[in-house]
Amino acid sequence: MTTRPVGVFDSGIGGLSVLQALRADLPHQSFVYVADSGHSPYGERDPSHVIARARALTRYLREAHDIQTLVVACNTATAAAIHLLREENADLPIVGLEPALKPAALASQTHRVGVLATRGTLQSAKFQALHQSLTEQADFVLRACDGLADAIEHQDLPRIEALAREHVTALGSCGAAKDQIDTVVLGCTHYPLILPTLQALLGPEVTLVESGAPVARQTRRMLPQAAETGEPRVLWYTTGDAGELQTAVQRWLQPQARVETLRI
Ligand code: DGL
């Protein structure tokens, strides 16, 4: 008997940072990854666009791949749509991502935490409720990183450098001294893909917090069918440029990947 795959989607290549953690935690599990690059970036679009895309991708993953669990590997899509996806797919376990404010507040010694995320995530009711619930625990400095996910999506190195510098600078003073930001949350799944760039800009004393590993653990706990031993498979799809996803997969995850283009 083959185990049903886990479906994973993001607006583009950002979800690869989550898939990496999922594969490390669930080495025998098969996955289907969809990059919605033809409809990205999500973070600066109207939430109705993100909701429509999340619904279409979920339907596709269920109908074409009979997934046993869905991981919404995108903070922006989780914030806009996860409550609807759960309502409409009550029989499907769905794991989402949200910026790791709580672990960051616990880790911070200075009680000042920077949050880098998309405009859509920061403006969502879900994020605002999370932020409000933690204001006693730390001072959060929020930064909507316009353009950064898109630059990462297209691997545009000069634009990545310029935007990363602009957004990190806007956080203010970072370091381990009193009143400095000593912990920064990567609240968009694209950002861990440029971790060395961000760390270099923020300095060695700043701790970066992302959500990949905790989401992988949560997915393992929620899986209805435990993965068997055997050769797992990953199927790769994109609604955008197959070459871009292929290059990204080969760079971050595995040497060979066959990417198919989807029209959904
Ligand atoms: N990777 C997505 C996230 O985690 C969003 C990137 C985008 O703006 O499309 O928020």
Side-chain angles (χ1 to χ4, degrees), residues 6-25:
V6 169
V8 181
F9 79 78
D10 175 47
S11 65
I13 65 171
L16 297 181
S17 66
V18 180
L19 187 60
Q20 202 165 33
L22 285 164
R23 287 174 78 186
D25 206 294

Side-chain angles (χ1 to χ4, degrees), residues 22-208:
L22 285 164
R23 287 174 78 186
D25 206 294
L26 294 161
H28 303 295
Q29 176 62 50
S30 290
F31 295 92
V32 182
Y33 185 88
V34 184
D36 197 18
S37 311
H39 304 266
S40 75
Y42 285 176
E44 290 148 56
R45 304 286 284 269
D46 195 86
S48 61
H49 167 82
V50 181
I51 290 170
R53 294 310 302 159
R55 280 183 164 139
L57 298 170
T58 303
R59 195 175 323 117
Y60 166 76
L61 284 164
R62 297 204 74 175
E63 289 174 2
H65 298 282
D66 188 29
I67 55 169
Q68 55 157 318
T69 297
L70 174 67
V71 179
V72 181
C74 174
N75 295 264
T76 313
T78 299
I82 200 159
H83 56 295
L84 293 172
L85 296 180
R86 286 190 174 132
E87 251 171 56
E88 293 163 3
N89 300 273
D91 57 328
L92 180 72
I94 302 181
V95 183
L97 256 93
E98 67 181 8
L101 265 57
K102 205 171 182 172
L106 288 172
S108 172
Q109 301 292 310
T110 61
H111 306 293
R112 277 180 68 73
V113 171
V115 181
L116 303 175
T118 69
R119 188 165 290 278
T121 296
L122 297 182
Q123 284 177 348
S124 69
K126 197 170 190 308
F127 177 83
Q128 285 173 11
L130 174 70
H131 180 208
Q132 278 312 312
S133 73
L134 294 168
T135 47
E136 308 267 279
Q137 304 195 18
D139 242 351
F140 293 96
V141 180
L142 313 180
R143 177 69 184 176
C145 299
D146 290 347
L148 185 56
D150 190 54
I152 297 169
E153 185 65 32
H154 299 294
Q155 284 300 293
D156 181 341
L157 298 184
R159 202 151 63 97
I160 291 172
E161 279 287 337
L163 288 169
R165 183 175 299 279
E166 178 188 326
H167 295 308
V168 162
T169 306
L171 285 178
S173 178
C174 295
K178 189 172 171 294
D179 295 334
Q180 283 189 312
I181 291 173
D182 68 348
T183 308
V184 171
V185 176
L186 304 184
C188 165
T189 55
H190 280 69
Y191 306 161
L193 299 177
I194 58 155
L195 199 119
T197 305
L198 293 170
Q199 189 78 66
L201 289 165
L202 287 160
E205 291 175 334
V206 174
T207 304
L208 299 182

Side-chain angles (χ1 to χ4, degrees), residues 208-220:
L208 299 182
V209 183
E210 51 165 312
S211 314
V215 161
R217 284 196 295 277
Q218 196 193 344
T219 306
R220 173 158 44 78

